[in-house]
Amino acid sequence: MYKKRIFGTPPEPLFNMRALGMSAELLEETLYVLAEENEKNMDNAMERQGFFRGGKTAEYFFLLCQELSLPSEARYLAIEIFDRFMAKHISELYEFIRSNTDENQKANWRDVEKRIKTQLPLRIVSCTQIASKLLSHYETITPNKARRFLNSIGSHYSTKSILKSELRILKTLDYYVLFSTPLAFLETILEILGHNDTKAQVKVLHDISMKVLDIVYLRHYELYAKLCMAATGEKCTKEDRQKLAVLASDNMLMAVSVIGTASYIVDQSMSDMVIEQLSCITQIPQDDILDFGTIILEIIL
């Protein structure tokens, strides 16, 4: 049945429409701001980040946002919020138990772990709530809507508990929850690519890149383990985890590698030219894009 939409999120950016799109100067400034934020994220990357970014967690967020008819940007932002919250939340709980003089520290920590696992659906929905509000989507997830969804999957919470969970996430992250997701990098770079070369198949690249980006999230752990292996020649050790966290925080590299992979899928004969242009736009060496893109392609195939 056709669903009438008044204020809907467009399925894709308005590529190659110079009369309606951003000017070259504004695109350059946007890329500069994203690059600065990317550098800051890499400098501040923590070893414990990334454990809740991919695999089943990403799949849960994808299905939830699909069920609630949220735009693609919402699911990526919700995952980023959840990953950072869980990393900090679990660390704080662990430090609290460890600093406790109680002799039953192990038993206390097991109880905390059980509570964390029980609350996972609530935390995931709360992170998605926050993401939907930050994107000003016309179908933001209200507490009542969140409660109905949680009840439908067997997690029964009151509206008050849902509001407290949302506040807990915001306080834990010091209210800093508006992150630029890999999708923002990807779409900005594609817009610049289309601006520089009007013959570029930007809309087709965007469509395929979105699918490739989903795979990068769903196979996150396998992908970065292969990257670590390629870089060090051996399995990722505890000492390598910090370097891996920095690499996983590089959204600019992820975006150009995803676009490079998509270009190879769309038209192998044009792939080298696209990667060359991506390197010129971002100043990321072509070899780095090829290495990352090759691993993504191996996982897809």
Side-chain angles (χ1 to χ4, degrees), residues 25 28 43 59 63 69-70 83 89 101 105 110 143 180 190 207 210 247 252 259 265 271 276 285-286 301:
E25 293 76 15
E28 186 179 357
D43 290 340
E59 184 180 356
L63 293 172
S69 302
L70 295 177
D83 181 55
H89 179 55
T101 55
Q105 284 184 343
R110 282 196 294 270
S180 294
L190 280 176
D207 183 52
M210 291 287 291
L247 183 61
M252 191 75 80
I259 297 170
I265 294 170
S271 180
E276 184 180 347
Q286 291 185 50
L301 296 176

Side-chain angles (χ1 to χ4, degrees), residues 187-200:
E187 291 183 340
T188 300
I189 294 166
L190 280 176
E191 180 71 25
I192 295 171
L193 183 65
H195 193 279
N196 293 345
D197 181 5
T198 54
K199 294 181 180 179

Side-chain angles (χ1 to χ4, degrees), residues 255-272:
V256 292
S257 301
V258 165
I259 297 170
T261 304
S263 71
Y264 185 84
I265 294 170
V266 172
D267 186 351
Q268 293 182 23
S269 65
M270 298 296 291
S271 180
D272 288 344

Side-chain angles (χ1 to χ4, degrees), residues 104-119:
N104 298 319
Q105 284 184 343
K106 287 186 178 180
N108 291 341
W109 178 244
R110 282 196 294 270
D111 291 339
V112 170
E113 281 185 322
K114 288 178 184 177
R115 190 163 69 250
I116 291 171
K117 289 178 183 177
T118 303
Q119 291 176 340

Side-chain angles (χ1 to χ4, degrees), residues 31-49:
L31 186 66
Y32 178 76
V33 171
L34 286 173
E36 271 197 334
E37 183 179 339
N38 196 54
E39 288 292 330
K40 188 182 293 184
N41 285 338
M42 291 171 67
D43 290 340
N44 297 330
M46 297 179 290
E47 180 186 320
R48 56 182 180 270
Q49 278 181 221

